[in-house]
Amino acid sequence: ATGLHRADHDWISPAQHIVQTDYDIWYVSNGAGSVRVNDSWHAFTAGDLITIQPGQVYQQERTDPSAPFESYFTHVLPFGRREPRCEAALSRIWPLRMSMLHRPEFGEAFRRLFEVYTTRRSGQSLALQGWALLLLDTIFDELRGVPMESPPKAWRNLLSAREYMEENYAWPLTLAEIAEDSRISVSHLSALFKRHLGCPPVEYLIRVRIREAKLLLARGERVKEVAERTGFSSQQYFSRQFRMRTGLTPSEFTSRHARMPGGGQ
């Protein structure tokens, strides 16, 4: 199972007592908060990976009042089946929280995994398995201590800009507004996106809008309403951008990707 959780301001989940049976892995894409595992609270912030392992007791989670969080999650067994000896060895080196700020590709992989899971037609597709394996491979590299470059000094600015887009994609944003919120110049903003995310900020914003549009279309929302809710200036412009990036019109996408029971957000 894979999903996306968006917490609200001052949100606290109901108290529970769930003994984990697999690896519940979260990637915190925006905001901050904390989770209670085995009676202890653990704080997290954007860029963190949280893992609740088999046998641990998940109890509750809450937001930071000033920065409600957004997190992707997935449930996996790293070895594909129960392997008690391997799991015991893995649990000794796998912390509950680790920062993935220095791995800019990690968040994008989680977003792609969620997109593929939410819009799949049935079963476990090869694309779904591929993105899950890529995530696990990246995590295992981290656990093995494979050297990586330190986070660039401007990485926080990039995260801030990305977060601003993720939260405000439904509005007619300008590069100047995004750059001002992130406390950098427009030229620096563009350079950071091209270097670390592989595309200009305008393209990234369109991808965010298309991703959100897919989720709404998969739920059966009307094309006109989806265009309005995802920040496109017109239904025609939305349909053109959607087809350029998916190879399908919004209506064709809806007919092919009926929402799977129990999947998604």
Side-chain angles (χ1 to χ4, degrees):
T2 296
L4 171 64
H5 174 58
R6 289 187 173 124
D8 297 320
H9 284 276
D10 299 317
W11 176 81
I12 301 177
S13 70
Q16 306 177 76
H17 188 93
I18 300 175
V19 180
Q20 199 64 34
T21 58
D22 55 13
Y23 283 77
D24 191 3
I25 301 174
W26 312 352
Y27 176 71
V28 184
S29 56
N30 292 312
S34 56
V35 59
R36 187 154 61 110
V37 178
N38 293 344
D39 285 322
S40 296
W41 285 98
H42 303 269
F44 55 75
T45 189
D48 282 349
L49 183 73
I50 303 295
T51 304
I52 306 173
Q53 301 179 31
Q56 291 183 326
V57 179
Y58 161 79
Q59 294 163 302
Q60 205 170 10
E61 56 189 294
R62 63 192 180 195
T63 62
D64 181 317
S66 63
F69 67 88
E70 174 182 279
S71 62
Y72 293 89
F73 63 85
T74 188
H75 291 267
V76 299
L77 282 171
F79 308 104
R81 59 186 185 278
R82 300 315 302 260
E83 295 281 358
R85 298 173 75 181
C86 292
E87 289 174 13
L90 188 58
S91 68
R92 289 194 292 269
I93 61 170
W94 198 331
L96 186 139
R97 185 190 71 83
M98 67 177 84
S99 175
M100 303 297 280
L101 273 177
H102 56 299
R103 292 186 179 271
E105 79 281 4
F106 191 75
E108 181 62 23
F110 239 115
R111 281 185 282 276
R112 294 296 299 275
L113 174 68
F114 173 60
E115 179 182 311
V116 170
Y117 179 83
T118 304
T119 59
R120 76 199 191 286
R121 300 191 71 175
S122 63
Q124 303 294 319
S125 69
L126 288 176
L128 187 64
Q129 293 178 43
W131 284 109
L133 288 171
L134 178 63
L135 286 171
L136 286 174
D137 188 56
T138 304
I139 294 171
F140 287 158
D141 275 351
E142 188 72 12
L143 294 175
R144 289 195 299 265
V146 175
M148 288 290 295
E149 294 182 5
S150 299
K153 293 181 179 179
W155 184 241
R156 284 288 179 184
N157 300 106
L158 179 61
L159 282 180
S160 177
R162 193 184 70 183
E163 181 175 349
Y164 189 78
M165 291 183 185
E166 296 274 354
E167 291 180 351
N168 298 284
Y169 63 85
W171 301 97
L173 300 178
T174 67
L175 288 184
E177 291 171 345
I178 298 168
E180 181 180 1
D181 184 80
S182 307
R183 298 179 177 84
I184 53 178
S185 67
V186 171
S187 60
H188 194 189
L189 175 73
S190 297
L192 285 174
F193 268 78
K194 290 178 182 178
R195 178 180 177 185
H196 298 292
L197 298 180
C199 65
V202 170
E203 173 62 21
Y204 185 86
L205 179 59
I206 292 175
R207 291 178 186 179
V208 170
R209 288 170 169 165
I210 293 294
R211 183 194 73 207
E212 296 295 327
K214 287 179 178 179
L215 301 180
L216 295 174
L217 291 170
R219 296 183 191 136
E221 298 280 348
R222 298 178 56 160
V223 175
K224 182 179 180 180
E225 294 171 352
V226 171
E228 293 174 353
R229 290 179 60 182
T230 52
F232 287 95
S233 56
S234 69
Q235 182 177 335
Q236 292 75 21
Y237 178 61
F238 165 59
S239 296
R240 185 165 67 251
Q241 293 295 328
F242 192 92
R243 187 167 189 172
M244 283 174 57
R245 287 163 174 78
T246 67
L248 300 170
T249 66
S251 297
E252 290 170 340
F253 181 89
T254 300
S255 66
R256 292 192 185 189
H257 298 284
R259 186 65 178 268
M260 297 295 295
Q265 188 173 336

